């Protein structure tokens, strides 16, 4: 009987877990973003919007929106044998802002999802990650394949540092979401490599 060699006895190391936050204003596509790429059935905490939310939660042009995230969304995706992303989507309304600190703790980076027709809704998310010093990427969601502003106009309106990537993506499209998340990983890696340098 032949004994197995050392190579077959060694087990492959599990992929490195990386936490990414998907944040932004109300109704910009965060839940859709997580759901489009998650390899598991995403955990969502969606609640039906009630009459009390009229005039408080403005979905902009998304008049068909009937639910909202009240705690978080969660999903995961394996990038390759060495890396697995765990995605935590934040609620968009200000009154659920207390959740952000918990959801962002230990995050390697963040994707701030933006609706180009309502840029002012993402200011709180941009401010939050700038102050928290969490590397982030601005992902402009192309609702219906349309962007109200080009990327330079979005950058100017948000007054984000030139090192912060501003990319267009489609929250419904798995490959488009993947590409946006890879930019988040590149940004986080770049920040880590240059940490402590003047």
């Amino acid at each position: 009987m032949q004994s197995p060699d050392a190579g077959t006895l060694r087990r492959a190391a599990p992929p490195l877990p990386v936490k990414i936050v998907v944040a932004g204003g109300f109704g910009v596509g965060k839940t859709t973003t997580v759901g489009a790429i998650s390899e598991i059935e995403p955990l969502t905490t969606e609640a039906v919007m009630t009459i009390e939310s009229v005039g408080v939660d403005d979905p902009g042009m998304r008049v068909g929106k009937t639910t909202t995230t009240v705690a978080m969304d969660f999903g995961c995706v394996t990038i390759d044998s060495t890396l697995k992303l765990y995605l935590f989507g934040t609620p968009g309304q200000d009154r659920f802002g207390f959740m952000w600190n918990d959801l962002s703790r230990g995050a390697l980076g963040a994707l701030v999802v933006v609706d180009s027709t309502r840029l002012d809704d993402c200011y709180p998310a941009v401010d939050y990650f700038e102050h928290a010093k969490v590397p982030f990427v601005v992902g402009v969601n192309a609702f219906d394949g349309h962007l109200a502003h080009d990327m330079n106009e979005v950058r100017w309106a948000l007054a984000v540092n030139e090192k912060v990537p501003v990319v267009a993506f489609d929250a419904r499209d798995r490959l488009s979401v993947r590409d946006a998340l890879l930019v988040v990983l590149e940004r986080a890696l770049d920040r880590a490599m240059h940490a402590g340098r003047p």
Side-chain angles (χ1 to χ4, degrees):
M1 179 178 200
Q2 189 174 15
S3 62
D5 60 41
T8 59
L9 292 177
R10 273 181 290 176
R11 303 185 79 185
L16 179 69
V18 173
K19 182 178 185 180
I20 300 290
V21 176
V22 179
F26 173 67
V28 296
K30 301 179 299 295
T31 299
T32 302
T33 298
V34 173
I37 198 163
S38 181
E39 62 195 23
I40 62 168
E41 184 68 29
L43 166 68
T44 62
T45 55
E46 292 280 291
V48 175
M49 294 170 58
T50 63
I51 193 70
E52 286 80 10
S53 70
V54 175
V56 177
D57 299 330
D58 179 15
M61 298 170 58
R62 315 306 152 225
V63 293
K65 184 169 176 60
T66 59
T67 61
T68 184
T69 299
V70 295
M72 62 175 244
D73 299 315
F74 173 78
C76 63
V77 59
T78 303
I79 299 298
D80 59 30
S81 62
T82 65
L83 190 64
K84 186 167 188 171
L85 303 186
Y86 291 89
L87 308 175
F88 290 79
T90 67
Q93 298 96 320
D94 290 343
R95 64 183 177 276
F96 298 124
F98 65 91
M99 296 285 302
W100 285 40
N101 286 336
D102 289 338
L103 292 175
S104 298
R105 189 173 294 117
L108 185 70
L111 177 66
V112 175
V113 182
V114 174
D115 178 347
S116 64
T117 65
R118 297 183 295 135
L119 293 177
D120 55 337
D121 287 355
C122 74
Y123 292 150
V126 169
D127 288 345
Y128 179 86
F129 292 108
E130 284 180 341
H131 286 101
K133 302 196 182 317
V134 173
F136 69 96
V137 169
V138 174
V140 185
N141 188 4
F143 284 100
D144 305 317
H146 175 72
L147 295 174
H149 305 283
D150 67 31
M151 297 303 98
N152 289 330
E153 292 171 330
V154 171
R155 178 183 296 283
W156 179 85
L158 299 181
V160 293
N161 185 295
E162 63 183 16
K163 293 182 179 178
V164 175
V166 178
V167 300
F169 83 111
D170 185 336
R172 302 162 300 178
D173 182 79
R174 179 180 176 84
L175 293 179
S176 186
V177 171
R178 179 206 63 189
D179 291 346
L181 291 173
L182 289 176
V183 176
V184 175
L185 287 173
E186 288 171 8
R187 168 86 171 121
L189 181 60
D190 182 64
R191 171 77 74 88
M193 289 175 63
H194 294 92
R197 291 187 187 178

